[in-house]
Amino acid sequence: KMTTEEKVYQFLSRVRNYESDIRRAEVTAKELRSSMLPSAVRYDKEKVMSSKEDATAETAARVDELERRIEEIKGQKAAAIMEIDDLLGRMAEEIGGEKGRMQVDILYLFYIGRQSVYAISQRLEISERHCFRMKKQALKNFTEIFKSCH
């Protein structure tokens, strides 16, 4: 059974995971599309089992399937961002003030903006060490909000 902290990490990491899935599907679709170009068709090889038309139709169907899947994942990513953003908004309200805004910014920039702690510390004009401490506290606070609604 997963701990609450593991559930929170998994919840926050969904955006990153969806982006990875989208990139992988886009690269696969691009490669399959390029294999259907006339220059990619080889006529010097013996025909095996299926004709060129069958292979091209199969490849085109796979590209269509991948493009539908990409749109589906983009929708899931958007839903995850909105869900995370809603909880971050609740967290900001509960903590309040500059401290709350900074903690929300750190989590948002790290998990949704995919920025490094170094980049976040530069942006917020704080030391990396302080950024790590604030991120740790922000995760504790976020976990409390998460527990109250999951």
Side-chain angles (χ1 to χ4, degrees):
K1 189 177 179 193
M2 288 176 64
T3 66
T4 304
E5 288 77 14
E6 289 170 330
K7 288 178 186 175
V8 166
Y9 177 75
Q10 186 176 37
F11 178 80
L12 290 170
S13 296
R14 292 182 306 165
V15 173
R16 200 168 277 197
N17 295 338
Y18 288 138
E19 287 176 353
S20 177
D21 293 345
I22 290 166
R23 263 193 316 280
R24 195 169 39 255
E26 285 174 341
V27 168
T28 302
K30 179 183 173 196
E31 291 302 317
L32 289 176
R33 264 190 236 98
S34 72
S35 74
M36 293 188 301
L37 296 173
S39 62
V41 176
R42 302 270 317 254
Y43 294 100
D44 59 338
K45 293 196 172 196
E46 286 186 41
K47 285 188 178 181
V48 186
M49 299 290 250
S50 64
S51 69
K52 174 188 155 301
E53 291 78 23
D54 292 342
T56 301
E58 254 181 66
T59 303
R62 179 72 174 136
V63 169
D64 286 345
E65 178 186 318
L66 283 166
E67 287 172 349
R68 278 192 301 278
R69 179 74 182 125
I70 289 166
E71 291 309 309
E72 180 184 316
I73 298 168
K74 285 181 178 178
Q76 292 169 334
K77 176 186 166 192
I81 289 171
M82 288 185 287
E83 195 175 0
I84 291 167
D85 194 50
D86 288 346
L87 291 181
L88 288 172
R90 286 180 55 188
M91 185 177 118
E93 286 173 17
E94 277 197 26
I95 299 169
E98 184 62 29
K99 184 178 177 183
R101 271 195 304 279
M102 192 170 284
Q103 286 186 18
V104 166
D105 286 348
I106 289 169
L107 292 184
Y108 192 90
L109 292 169
F110 188 80
Y111 287 102
I112 295 174
R114 295 180 48 119
Q115 293 185 21
S116 68
V117 170
Y118 174 77
I120 296 167
S121 68
Q122 295 296 304
R123 184 174 181 161
L124 299 178
E125 298 177 352
I126 58 176
S127 71
E128 273 185 89
R129 182 181 221 162
H130 187 58
C131 191
F132 273 111
R133 278 195 302 266
M134 295 275 301
K135 180 177 170 261
K136 184 178 180 180
Q137 186 58 51
L139 282 170
K140 284 181 185 175
N141 292 331
F142 187 86
T143 299
E144 291 307 311
I145 302 291
F146 181 85
K147 283 196 293 194
S148 72
C149 51
H150 282 88

